[in-house]
Amino acid sequence: MSLLLAISALFFASACLAQRSPPGFAPFKHVRVAADDGAPDGVLRIAQTADGYLWFAGDSLYRFDGATFEQIDWPEGAGRRHASPSALMTDSKGELWVGLRDTGGVAVYRHGALQDMHMPDPPRGLAAFAQTPDGAIWASSLGLDKRLQRLGAAGWERVDETQGLPPGYIMDLVVARDGGLWVALSAEDGGSGTLALLAPGADRFQTMDARLSGRPKIALDRKGTLWTSDAAGTRMLFGPDGAPSKGGIVFPALPGTSRAAFTFDHRGGLWGTTGAVGVFHIADPLSPRGTSVESVHQFREINGLTSDISYLPFVDREGNVWIATESGIDQFRRASAIQEAAIPADPAFGLKMAKARDGSVYVATRRTLFHAQPGADPKPIRALDSDEVSMCSARDGGVWLVERSQTLLLHGQQATITPGHPGGEAQIACAEDGNGRLWLGLADGQLVWRDRGGWHHATGELAALNLWDLATTPAGQLALIVPPDVAMLEGDHLKTIRLAPTGIGTPWALLPGNLPGSRDLFVSGSSGLARMRGDQVRQLDDRRFPWITWVRTLQQTPDGETWLFNRTGAYKVATVDFDRAFDDPHAPLPYTKLDALDGLASTVQKGGFAGTQSALAGDGRLWFLNRQGAAYIDPANLPSNKIAPPVTIRALSSGGRSWRDPTQLTLAAGTRSLDITYAGLSFTVPQRVHFKYRLEGVDEHWVDAGTRRTVSYSNLGPGRYRFQVMASNNDGVWSQQSASLDVEIRPTFVQGWPFRLLCAVALAGLLWLVYSLRLRAVARSVRSRMAERVEERERIARELHDTLLQAIQALTLRFQLAADDLPPGYPGRASLVSAIDTADRVIAEGRDRVRALRTQQEGDVEQVICDLIAQTGFEPAIEVAVAVHGSPRRLDPLALEEVTAIAGEALHNMRQHAAATRVTVEIRFDSSFGLRLADDGVGIAPAVAAGGGKEGHFGLVGMAERARKLRARLCVAPLAEGGTDVVLSVPGAIAYKRDERRPFGRFGS
């Protein structure tokens, strides 16, 4: 995809300011782009498709979105890349048909690419297309071979001979409103041309009674009337009903016209090209005022056209007129500000202006006085003696015009002449106060005034003023700018008003309010605007509104609008908002700006030009002076664009690839960034097309893109995204629907669910390994403490055996010897012998204890539990049941000892306190060892179970301590249905004997 990023010149550059628009073109804003600015070469055809794009056929095919020309080539391998386009048409479906030279045939632009329509026998080049209501496509040749072909349900067929088309070159094809096909032909020998019609339902053409000459072109106006333009001029031929026109309207051809093509704009105006002498415009071709040469307005290269060699006019859906020339592309659109061509500029001395009470406006420039009556064009009415004049409104309804040699009071073209002013310096401005005195400020700061007695020099404090500007307030007082202050003349008293605190900078212009009953005097400064209303001064500064500086003139209309003109443009605000902004320091001030994009050729006069700079005429036009002369704005007829711009997504680029006109894309795995280019297809003022967009899944809200037409995203992950974009035109009308693009980014292997599943499995395995290592460490610690206990028991057993038991036995022997020495019957001998027997029993019991300390408990845990139950001695009426779950395993002797102790304590409590009728014992062997003992007795008190025992009793406490030694979980709780439940769970790594553990539980081996 080739992009030609040069169109910014088209809409940011207007026709050269030094080239004034000729009459008939003044109401239009002219913009242009030449070939060396980036316009396509050799543009001969223009079309607009339903999606809003403009298409240009030149050496190649281009589409235009208002900012960029994009070259559209054939897809790779199509074999027709050499064929340049020569004809364009948009069909009823909104698709673009392209006719090609060099026997390239016909193509249609669909789904982002050109597609061949397989014309079997194409001519050397195609000239024009037409589509009749039956859907048939008609294509004419550039030459005399295969002149007319038709594409219908049966495919392409040649019809110029079979349907009796008259001889000659086909110059144009036009479909009538009733579905008939008009064909304009030029003679092979250059003689008279022919007009033929294929009526609806007919199978042969009929030659019409119409005289054509040269290279005739035909077109329908808005009413359906057929017009032609040829060497004889431009004229009506046949009405919408097919009857010959009886209007007799004939506009003469411009001298030098070689081939004329024309079209009608949305207002009915006629636009034509000439081939050699620029373009022409007929504002109202149906006007009854006649068809004189003055009705045909010409615009040429000298006026700013890219070339006098003009080929084709085209009107887009918004009413903009496009002209294709040899050297570029020109656009004409309705201007908001119209530079009056009849009033020339005067850069040296400036223009002067004044308004009469009847609503007419007077403008003086270059020793000529112009008079513009309401609703009429300005006309020169008087030659002036000097270039330096001053003008101001007279209280009697006329206008004062002050020259050095004379003073004139004007009423229309009538003038009352009195002597000129006595000062030798150039004038600044004049004003007539409420007492009828005419005041005149001079360039050296002096002030002179005139009454019935003639001219007088100011005296006293008035003579000492360093005057900059003067004006009359709505109340009739004389106001003067004496930097940095404003002075008011009340009678003969001069009152000074300090403006420094207002913060408007240096005051330089006085702007009286012009609404009926207004009491306002506005003072413009370098950094703001002040409003003087009586003794109250309020200000707006550039900190609040940066645009409200250096205001040169101001007008307020009865419709509630205030217009301000400064160096950057004309600003329209609502008068009520304007007043509120002065009164409320926090109030906003919405505005509409007009500048060069709206036809404002220049803003205000710069330099020391003072006096009235604008006037509201009686017809509602707002006249103002600028460096190019005089211009006006008609607030009641400002052009508006109510057509919502179609919005489209031009392209998506990612990873070095681009997709044109995408609607749904699947991008490669690993895609992280993408660039999206979009367009709002409004061509009136494309610089003011604004956008907002969002990418669902990334942007939480709509993003204001301003005028940017490209957005980039990065760090995107896999998933589905939807990009949406909307646009508004130059008048703020938003598109009704957004353009959308669905994008799917495929995941890489590491971003996909299989990898995530593997990660989850690996994480689970890692957690299990950590848990296993932790359990192994705990088991090792428990076994280490158990081994320490065994060693301690063996030590105690040795100590008992080697010390205490040996000593007692030795002592017993000595007592036995002593008893043997006593004679039988000796008193006390029997008691001694009895004590020795008791000592022997103690020694035997001691040996049993020592043996128990040295011997670890062994055996089947089920059997041990059964022995405990038997030893507990439950009443015969109590049913005791033992159940075993899982494959029995041998417990570690020390673990078995602790388990036995816990079970014994539980059984003892059930026998002593439960008053149960049934006791259930469950033994469970799995990855851990479990023991559950339950009864159906009175149950343990919840408070005792929660507290871990009853104060002063240590049974439950001892059970919990033994469980902690085993890193086991012990739960003692009451059952809902009555009774107590004791559950013990011991980790298998601790509970089971090492040679009894399963492979996954062989910790510490």
Side-chain angles (χ1 to χ4, degrees):
M1 180 166 47
S2 174
L3 297 180
L4 193 60
L5 301 176
I7 195 54
S8 59
L10 174 59
F11 287 107
F12 283 100
S14 62
C16 180
L17 292 180
Q19 299 163 333
R20 301 176 65 84
S21 295
F25 284 89
F28 297 96
K29 166 69 177 176
H30 171 225
V31 291
R32 48 171 277 166
V33 58
D36 55 1
D37 295 324
D41 291 330
V43 173
L44 295 174
R45 298 288 185 269
I46 307 174
Q48 187 172 29
T49 45
D51 57 11
Y53 279 108
L54 281 178
W55 296 80
F56 297 89
D59 293 342
S60 296
L61 179 65
Y62 298 86
R63 73 175 182 180
F64 178 53
D65 65 358
T68 303
F69 283 114
E70 180 183 1
Q71 185 174 349
I72 306 296
D73 289 325
W74 284 91
E76 293 291 340
R80 304 200 175 196
R81 298 173 68 86
H82 67 283
S84 60
S86 57
L88 296 177
M89 182 193 72
T90 302
D91 66 11
S92 58
K93 297 180 181 178
E95 294 180 326
L96 181 73
W97 289 68
V98 184
L100 303 168
R101 293 185 177 90
D102 303 323
T103 66
V106 178
V108 174
Y109 184 81
R110 288 175 181 161
H111 309 302
L114 289 170
Q115 299 182 13
D116 188 11
M117 295 308 292
H118 306 291
M119 178 179 278
D121 188 20
R124 285 174 295 177
L126 291 170
F129 287 109
Q131 184 180 26
T132 46
D134 59 0
I137 302 295
W138 302 74
S140 66
S141 169
L142 285 170
L144 295 173
D145 61 322
K146 308 154 192 170
R147 293 185 303 154
L148 187 61
Q149 299 195 51
R150 178 181 183 273
L151 176 61
W156 288 101
E157 59 177 333
R158 182 177 172 184
V159 296
D160 52 337
E161 296 179 354
T162 60
Q163 296 190 348
L165 183 69
Y169 293 94
I170 297 178
M171 300 305 298
D172 224 341
L173 301 176
V174 171
V175 178
R177 288 192 174 183
D178 63 0
L181 179 65
W182 292 100
V183 182
L185 303 101
S186 66
E188 299 178 25
D189 58 1
S192 298
T194 306
L195 180 66
L197 172 65
L198 182 65
D203 57 3
R204 294 188 65 82
F205 284 92
Q206 57 178 315
T207 301
M208 306 302 292
D209 183 15
R211 295 179 59 85
L212 303 181
S213 63
R215 301 176 179 179
K217 289 289 186 177
I218 54 177
L220 297 177
D221 65 15
R222 299 180 68 190
K223 296 181 178 180
T225 301
L226 184 71
W227 290 66
T228 187
S229 185
D230 56 16
T234 303
R235 59 197 181 277
M236 300 171 62
L237 292 178
F238 294 91
D241 57 355
S245 173
K246 299 179 181 180
I249 297 178
V250 179
F251 294 95
L254 293 175
T257 299
S258 61
R259 54 185 181 275
F262 67 101
T263 189
F264 294 89
D265 64 25
H266 291 182
R267 292 173 176 248
L270 189 150
W271 295 78
T273 55
T274 63
V277 289
V279 300
F280 65 91
H281 174 233
I282 304 171
D284 187 3
L286 299 179
S287 172
R289 290 180 295 180
T291 57
S292 63
V293 175
E294 289 77 14
S295 300
V296 182
H297 302 285
Q298 189 177 11
F299 195 95
R300 302 194 60 177
E301 189 172 348
I302 193 173
N303 305 118
L305 197 68
T306 51
S307 174
D308 278 342
I309 303 175
S310 55
Y311 298 132
L312 178 79
F314 177 80
V315 179
D316 67 23
R317 62 197 295 267
E318 296 172 287
N320 305 303
V321 179
W322 300 80
I323 307 293
T325 76
E326 179 189 40
S327 301
I329 301 170
D330 297 77
Q331 184 206 57
F332 293 89
R333 64 172 184 258
R334 286 281 168 180
S336 297
I338 300 172
Q339 195 72 29
E340 178 51 61
I343 300 178
D346 190 352
F349 297 98
L351 284 75
K352 303 299 188 294
M353 173 183 286
K355 174 188 171 183
R357 187 177 298 170
D358 63 0
S360 62
V361 175
Y362 294 80
V363 179
T365 176
R366 294 191 178 184
R367 298 197 176 190
T368 302
L369 180 65
F370 289 86
H371 183 211
Q373 292 181 318
D377 296 331
K379 300 182 182 302
I381 61 171
R382 189 178 187 89
L384 303 177
D385 294 339
S386 171
D387 290 312
E388 296 183 3
V389 300
S390 291
M391 295 181 67
C392 52
S393 299
R395 291 181 58 83
D396 69 351
V399 168
W400 288 104
L401 190 149
V402 182
E403 298 182 272
R404 290 186 180 182
S405 59
Q406 58 185 357
T407 302
L408 289 79
L409 179 59
L410 300 167
H411 291 85
Q413 298 190 27
Q414 297 181 356
T416 302
I417 302 175
T418 56
H421 68 87
E425 295 290 330
Q427 305 100 294
I428 294 177
C430 67
E432 185 179 6
D433 65 15
N435 296 321
R437 292 177 294 184
L438 178 63
W439 295 86
L440 181 66
L442 303 180
D444 61 357
Q446 295 184 36
L447 189 63
V448 296
W449 56 277
R450 177 188 181 280
D451 59 10
R452 293 182 178 181
W455 287 97
H456 312 277
H457 284 280
T459 59
E461 56 181 347
L462 292 178
L465 297 177
N466 183 17
L467 183 65
W468 180 262
D469 192 17
L470 61 85
T472 304
T473 69
Q477 295 175 318
L478 182 67
L480 308 99
I481 288 184
V482 186
D485 305 317
V486 172
M488 305 289 291
L489 185 63
E490 300 177 352
D492 294 327
H493 174 66
L494 193 65
K495 176 183 178 183
T496 300
I497 301 174
R498 304 289 179 182
L499 292 180
T502 65
I504 66 168
T506 302
W508 74 301
L510 292 169
L511 315 172
N514 63 299
L515 289 176
S518 174
R519 298 183 294 117
D520 297 337
L521 175 67
F522 299 95
V523 183
S524 173
S526 57
S527 59
L529 184 70
R531 184 192 69 186
M532 299 175 59
R533 181 176 288 175
D535 294 331
Q536 187 183 69
V537 179
R538 299 285 176 86
Q539 61 91 26
L540 305 177
D541 58 42
D542 56 0
R543 290 172 296 179
R544 286 180 64 190
F545 310 114
W547 54 272
I548 203 161
T549 60
W550 297 106
V551 175
R552 188 62 188 89
T553 186
L554 175 152
Q555 292 293 326
Q556 295 179 309
T557 70
D559 295 330
E561 295 175 348
T562 295
W563 290 81
L564 303 97
F565 297 82
N566 65 10
R567 295 176 177 179
T568 58
Y571 295 84
K572 180 182 74 172
V573 301
T575 302
V576 62
D577 292 336
F578 191 52
D579 284 339
R580 187 182 298 113
F582 279 107
D583 297 329
D584 182 356
H586 304 289
L589 184 56
Y591 65 88
T592 299
K593 179 184 178 183
L594 302 183
D595 55 21
L597 297 175
D598 305 286
L600 208 63
S602 178
T603 52
V604 296
Q605 294 191 100
K606 292 186 178 179
F609 305 130
T612 302
Q613 298 291 306
S614 66
L616 180 62
D619 56 9
R621 287 186 293 179
L622 240 173
W623 288 87
F624 60 96
L625 304 179
N626 58 32
R627 287 168 290 171
Q628 299 300 314
Y632 65 86
I633 295 172
D634 188 352
N637 294 292
L638 289 176
S640 62
N641 185 3
K642 302 304 181 183
I643 299 178
V647 60
T648 181
I649 298 173
R650 288 184 49 239
L652 181 145
S653 302
S654 179
R657 290 190 59 191
S658 294
W659 292 264
R660 184 191 295 137
D661 300 338
T663 57
Q664 188 171 358
L665 288 175
T666 299
L667 302 181
T671 299
R672 299 282 294 171
S673 61
L674 50 85
D675 299 321
I676 301 174
T677 305
Y678 46 83
L681 300 172
S682 174
F683 300 99
T684 302
V685 189
Q687 302 93 320
R688 292 182 182 155
V689 175
H690 279 68
F691 300 90
K692 60 181 179 181
Y693 64 81
R694 67 178 176 184
L695 182 63
E696 293 181 1
V698 176
D699 300 318
E700 184 177 354
H701 304 289
W702 286 91
V703 178
D704 184 359
T707 59
R708 289 185 294 111
R709 295 172 179 251
T710 300
V711 60
S712 299
Y713 288 96
S714 58
N715 298 321
L716 297 177
R720 296 180 182 271
Y721 301 91
R722 167 165 285 192
F723 178 78
Q724 295 176 292
V725 60
M726 299 185 72
S728 66
N729 66 12
N730 58 298
D731 279 347
V733 179
W734 283 92
S735 52
Q736 298 177 355
Q737 293 182 340
S738 63
S740 62
L741 167 61
D742 293 318
V743 178
E744 179 182 1
I745 300 178
R746 290 177 176 173
T748 61
F749 173 74
V750 297
Q751 294 172 329
W753 67 265
F755 179 77
R756 295 178 181 177
L757 181 60
L758 289 176
C759 290
V761 172
L763 179 60
L766 180 62
L767 293 176
W768 176 253
L769 177 61
V770 172
Y771 171 74
S772 300
L773 292 175
R774 172 63 179 165
L775 191 59
R776 180 183 297 180
V778 171
R780 188 180 297 114
S781 174
V782 171
R783 290 189 179 281
S784 175
R785 289 196 293 272
M786 287 183 173
E788 292 174 359
R789 287 181 57 196
V790 171
E791 292 177 359
E792 181 66 15
R793 290 173 59 172
E794 289 177 348
R795 186 188 65 77
I796 293 172
R798 285 195 303 272
E799 293 295 331
L800 289 175
H801 180 272
D802 295 341
T803 58
L804 181 61
L805 291 180
Q806 293 289 354
I808 292 175
Q809 188 173 19
L811 184 60
T812 303
L813 289 175
R814 292 181 65 182
F815 278 112
Q816 182 65 47
L817 291 176
D820 290 343
D821 290 341
L822 293 175
Y826 185 82
R829 184 177 185 277
S831 297
L832 182 58
V833 171
S834 177
I836 293 172
D837 292 338
T838 302
D840 288 337
R841 289 196 301 273
V842 170
I843 292 172
E845 290 178 2
R847 288 195 180 99
D848 291 339
R849 293 292 183 180
V850 170
R851 187 181 299 109
L853 287 173
R854 283 185 171 273
T855 303
Q856 296 183 11
Q857 188 174 9
E858 298 282 352
D860 185 0
V861 65
E862 181 183 2
Q863 184 61 47
V864 171
I865 296 298
C866 290
D867 292 343
L868 280 176
I869 292 172
Q871 293 172 10
T872 303
F874 285 102
E875 296 293 333
I878 299 176
E879 180 184 354
V880 180
V882 179
V884 178
H885 303 282
S887 300
R889 308 179 201 176
R890 298 179 64 83
L891 300 187
D892 186 273
L894 294 178
L896 179 59
E897 181 177 344
E898 300 294 350
V899 170
T900 302
I902 292 172
E905 180 66 26
L907 292 170
H908 174 76
N909 289 337
M910 290 177 181
R911 178 181 178 278
Q912 290 293 111
H913 310 294
T917 61
R918 178 179 175 81
V919 175
T920 301
V921 179
E922 294 181 8
I923 303 172
R924 186 177 300 278
F925 298 95
D926 50 26
S927 59
S928 61
F929 171 77
L931 176 65
R932 179 174 180 268
L933 302 97
D935 63 66
D936 61 353
V938 297
I940 188 172
V944 175
K950 186 184 297 183
E951 187 175 357
H953 296 262
F954 302 98
L956 292 181
V957 175
M959 293 168 64
E961 290 174 349
R962 292 182 183 275
R964 283 196 293 271
K965 292 178 182 179
L966 295 174
R967 293 294 191 270
R969 294 193 301 273
L970 177 67
C971 179
V972 180
L975 294 170
E977 62 274 16
T980 303
D981 190 33
V982 180
V983 179
L984 175 69
S985 179
V986 185
I990 298 174
Y992 299 128
K993 201 170 183 179
R994 292 189 181 184
D995 55 359
E996 290 291 325
R997 285 180 229 124
R998 297 187 183 278
F1000 66 81
R1002 298 178 62 188
F1003 302 105
S1005 59

